[in-house]
Amino acid sequence: MAPGGFIHPSNMKSASVVHSGRQLFALQKKFVKSAISPAQWPSTMVPEVAFSGRSNVGKSSLINALVNQKQFARVSKTPGRTQTVNFFDVGSKMHLVDLPGYGFAKAPKPLAENWAESVEVYLRRRAKAQILKNLYVLIDSRRGILEIDLQWFSMLQQEQVPFTIVYTKSDRVGKPALDGCRQQGLEQLNMIHGGLEPLPDDAVLVCSAKDGTGLTELKDSIHRHVMMGTPMTQKRQERLQQTADLLGVDADDPLVTDGFK
């Protein structure tokens, strides 16, 4: 069982799966919208994968590297500049979601707390509705997993949000340090779900937005989660949407999802 109680995609790799992330990310990509409240989230049932991490961990840079567009997601040297939930479309097949960073942010404390609450609401509701297929939690390779990250993992486990650990900025550390990062990530994930089942190949990834290390593996991981991981049946999707239409709310509204546990 994966972190949060979700089943990970199979470790088996077929010819149709290996490197299919490249084809996915070759599709047209565009910005969809920024949202500060659930009412502003996209109302479609397009699968989503999201990115979170401490402020200044390199989320926007990694997204830009994935789509091979330097200014696709806004990059800032000031920690905490991502203040909204930002949605990007990839070939109408999925949405990439850039979430505000947790931890240090140059903003008044009440505002930073509002950001944190909005992110938790997004994760809780989208995961329950099975729109969110996976969350990629980014960790700075130079810093490793800190106490604030452990608190984040705990929240994700409690809310049953499936997630993968991604160490960023791998170009700035040596191989021994990267090996230590991988081991640290695997140990944390084994502790989270009790080590009862083997972890999938993509449970812990190492990437660099600067030199491209690990981007192919990350793309393949995203493809597996979007196309194969925790799938909703078409019938269930239709029932969710029909119920939402009757109630006049979005398909991920608790009024709908609470009835489809």
Side-chain angles (χ1 to χ4, degrees):
M1 191 74 65
F6 283 73
I7 300 174
H8 268 287
S10 171
N11 286 335
M12 297 181 63
K13 297 182 179 180
S14 66
S16 63
V17 173
V18 174
H19 302 322
S20 50
R22 293 178 179 176
Q23 285 84 28
L24 178 63
F25 279 88
L27 299 174
Q28 183 176 4
K29 297 163 282 286
K30 63 181 181 179
F31 172 74
V32 177
K33 66 187 327 184
S34 295
I36 59 175
S37 69
Q40 298 173 329
W41 300 340
S43 59
T44 63
M45 299 293 286
V46 176
E48 296 172 355
V49 294
F51 296 84
S52 73
R54 298 193 305 272
S55 296
N56 206 31
V57 76
K59 289 187 287 81
S60 297
S61 295
L62 186 60
I63 292 175
N64 289 340
L66 280 172
V67 303
N68 196 29
Q69 295 183 29
K70 291 184 178 181
Q71 301 300 322
F72 191 69
R74 181 180 179 183
V75 178
S76 173
K77 294 182 180 179
T78 303
R81 288 300 297 272
T82 302
Q83 303 174 8
T84 55
V85 179
N86 302 310
F87 296 84
F88 304 89
D89 180 80
V90 178
S92 299
K93 299 291 186 181
M94 70 169 181
H95 285 163
L96 299 177
V97 185
D98 186 8
L99 300 174
Y102 54 85
F104 174 79
K106 286 190 175 180
K109 185 176 180 180
L111 182 57
E113 290 175 347
N114 286 339
W115 296 344
E117 182 178 357
S118 68
V119 170
E120 291 186 24
V121 170
Y122 164 81
L123 293 171
R124 182 185 312 118
R125 288 178 54 173
R126 295 306 237 196
K128 179 174 283 190
Q130 296 189 20
I131 295 173
L132 178 65
K133 300 303 183 182
N134 198 45
L135 173 69
Y136 291 87
V137 182
L138 308 190
I139 304 293
D140 191 326
S141 296
R142 301 168 300 174
R143 309 284 184 261
I145 296 174
L146 304 180
E147 179 60 31
I148 192 172
D149 300 309
L150 297 178
Q151 294 172 9
W152 191 246
F153 296 164
S154 178
M155 183 278 293
L156 296 174
Q157 180 185 23
Q158 181 178 352
E159 299 296 343
Q160 297 190 338
V161 178
F163 70 93
T164 296
I165 295 175
V166 181
Y167 286 91
T168 63
K169 306 180 182 181
S170 64
D171 56 286
R172 301 188 184 183
V173 299
K175 185 179 183 301
L178 290 179
D179 290 342
C181 286
R182 290 189 183 93
Q183 185 61 34
Q184 179 193 44
L186 291 172
E187 289 175 356
Q188 288 299 324
L189 291 178
N190 274 314
M191 288 176 60
I192 286 171
H193 69 90
L196 299 178
E197 296 180 10
L199 294 172
D201 293 343
D202 58 357
V204 177
L205 298 172
V206 173
C207 294
S208 168
K210 184 176 182 179
D211 65 18
T213 297
L215 291 184
T216 296
E217 291 77 10
L218 179 55
K219 291 176 181 179
D220 290 344
S221 173
I222 291 171
H223 178 272
R224 286 195 294 274
H225 281 283
V226 169
M227 301 301 179
M228 301 174 62
T230 59
M232 290 176 61
T233 64
Q234 184 64 35
K235 183 176 180 180
R236 187 177 188 276
Q237 288 185 2
E238 292 173 354
R239 289 175 61 199
L240 272 171
Q241 193 60 59
Q242 289 169 359
T243 302
D245 291 343
L246 287 173
L247 296 175
V249 298
D250 292 334
D252 65 344
D253 192 288
L255 288 173
V256 178
T257 59
D258 286 352
F260 285 81
K261 295 179 180 180

